[in-house]
Structure formats: C-alpha cells, structure tokens
Amino acid sequence: MADGGWQMAQREADSSPSPIVQHPAPRTPGAPYRAGWIHFTNVAPILDSLVLPPGVTAITGVPTQMNAALLSGEVDIANISAVEFIRNADVLEALPDFSVAVLGPVYSVNLFHTRPLEELRRVALTAQSAMSVALLEVLLQGRGLSPKLERAEGEAEALLSQGFDGVLRIGDSALREWYGVVGPLTPETTMTSLPHSARGITVTDLAEEWFRLTGHPFTFAVWAYRKDRPPPAALVQAMREARRDGIGHLADVAERHARKLGLPERVVQHYLWNFRYHLEAPDRLGLHEFAAKAVPGHAPLTFGPRPGPR
Ligand SMILES: C=C(O[C@@H]1C=C(C(=O)O)C=C[C@H]1O)C(=O)O
C-alpha cells in the first residue's frame, strides 16, 4: 500500500522533539506494574529465562506497538526503539545497563535493494519499526540521497517484484529473508564476515553502514520507563539474572530459536552472540551520536541509577 503523504508526515513528526505522550490516569494502589516486550529473537537471551516477580504483568508486540503502549501509559516499561526514547527524553528514563546494540553488522535490520543506493527511487518501509526508519533517513541524508519512502508491508522479494527498488525489513523476518537471499552458507563460510548479496539482490545492513559512518556501535533499543513509574527493583534484578542465564546458555537459546525460525543453528548463534546487551560506554556514545543527528534539540537523555554487580 503506497502512501505518498506518509513520508512528509513522518519527517515532520521526526523533526519535532516534543513528545506525543498522553497522560494516563493515576494508578490505583496495588495495581500491577506492566511491562511491554518486543519479543524478537534478538531479545531471547534476556527474555526467555525471565521470571516476572509478583505484581508484574507483561504483554508483547512489535516495536511500534510497544513504543505506543509505553507512550500512552498502557505499559510502564518496555524495550522500545531508541529513537522514541530520544524523542520523548523529557518524560522517559532508561535502565542504565540494558540495550539491544551491535558494533558492525546486525543481520536483521536490512535494506534489500536491486539498484545501487545512489539510484534508488522507491523504498518500502515497514510500519513495525521506528528505529530502522530513522536510521535509514540519517544514512540517506548523509549520502545526499532522497528516494521516495513509502509504507508497504510484505516480504522483501515480493515487494521488489512490485515496483519497489528498495525494501526495509527488521527483526526475525529480516533475518530469515537475509538468509533466504545469501544462503545456504557452506561450511567454509567464515562466520566473521557473512555475505550480503546474491541473485541480483543486495542486502545493506544498516548497522554496518552506521559503523562505517561513525565507528560507533548502533543502539537499537533501550529499556525505557516513564520517569514517574520506575520499575520495582525486583523486576530489574530478575532481568539481570535472566540475561546472565541467557548469555550463559547461548547455544541452547540459539538451538531453540533456530528451530522456530527454520534457520541453521550456527547462523542464529552468530546472530545472537553479536549483540551487546549491557548499554556500555561505546553503546551510549553511539546512542548520543545518533540522537544528535536524528533528533536535534532533544531533551537530555537520562538513565536510572547505576546497577549493582551483574
Ligand atoms: C535489531 C533489531 O532491533 C529492534 C528494532 C527496533 C525498530 O526497528 O524500531 C526496535 C527495537 C529493537 O529491538 C531488530 O529488530 O532486528
């Protein structure tokens, strides 16, 4: 579904640092604390082992759903698109030690294209993602490129055969479609440098492009909460324990999710060990650099108290 007006509307919304936050009704005492999880495979090392403490409930959804749920007050904490945290930094705060970030390629935030980037005319964007759209805009602006950006859902190869010359995809389907283009990998394929083109389709990995541009990691998601609704300590502790367990058993997590995704185990294992889940100094540097480029004039980014031992 093409929508020519959407690009302008989106650009206008993007350039405004003021939040579109609704003010939820005050909570009744004793009401549950509500979490919203984007449950893509890349968060499995944190979420799969998570045992919610008493008094905490959770829902799941795609990034734009969880962004909206946090901003409307439907949930109190969520792993949201980092760009929404930046845009709404006056009302949101983030946990200081949780991120979905990478240094270099991510494999699941992909622009599939059939012409060189410089010659792109029509690019399909998924409505599931806020972060990848903002990143794509920064990368295109950096190269002085302005293809028409349109909202359209569907698999990359199908959209490429329907008049789009670029298709932006995220998450598990983007990972699967990347492998669909470049796979199957041979035993000789080095796992430090996976291929990015085949059959006339190039897969530009937006996090790798960001690394080429800045030398920094790219932080896709942070765990944000409303400043007036910080998470109970028991929830943060449970998340830290779940992450320690998940990263400690990454091969098991990868095996389970490889089966679900229909991908080879070693591909999923490589995908997962590539992530940076602790919002460390380089990830914050990348986040601040992106914030300055994508949301000039944003409110200062604030993070909760420093964590205890991991
Ligand atoms: C790396 C990814 O990051 C996710 C992408 C998001 C977005 O595009 O808005 C939001 C949260 C991230 O967890 C991915 O989905 O592949």
Side-chain angles (χ1 to χ4, degrees), residues 38 40 42-43 63-64 67 79-83 100 106-109 128-133 169-172 174 220-221 271 275:
I38 298 170
F40 285 155
N42 57 48
V43 212
T64 42
N67 299 343
N79 50 326
I80 62 165
S81 309
V83 70
V100 174
V106 61
Y107 303 105
S108 61
V109 179
Q128 291 188 359
S129 168
M131 197 63 220
S132 65
V133 173
R169 301 281 282 159
I170 65 157
D172 294 354
F220 283 95
Y271 175 63
F275 281 98

Side-chain angles (χ1 to χ4, degrees), residues 1-7 122-125 148-153 159 162-164:
M1 183 191 66
D3 173 4
W6 182 76
Q7 180 185 1
R122 287 182 71 204
V123 175
L125 305 179
K148 192 162 179 236
L149 306 178
E150 299 173 35
R151 206 179 221 172
E153 298 300 330
L159 290 169
Q162 288 165 24
F164 289 99

Side-chain angles (χ1 to χ4, degrees), residues 169-185:
R169 301 281 282 159
I170 65 157
D172 294 354
S173 41
L175 179 68
R176 241 191 268 116
E177 289 170 33
W178 160 74
Y179 192 75
V181 171
V182 304
L185 302 182

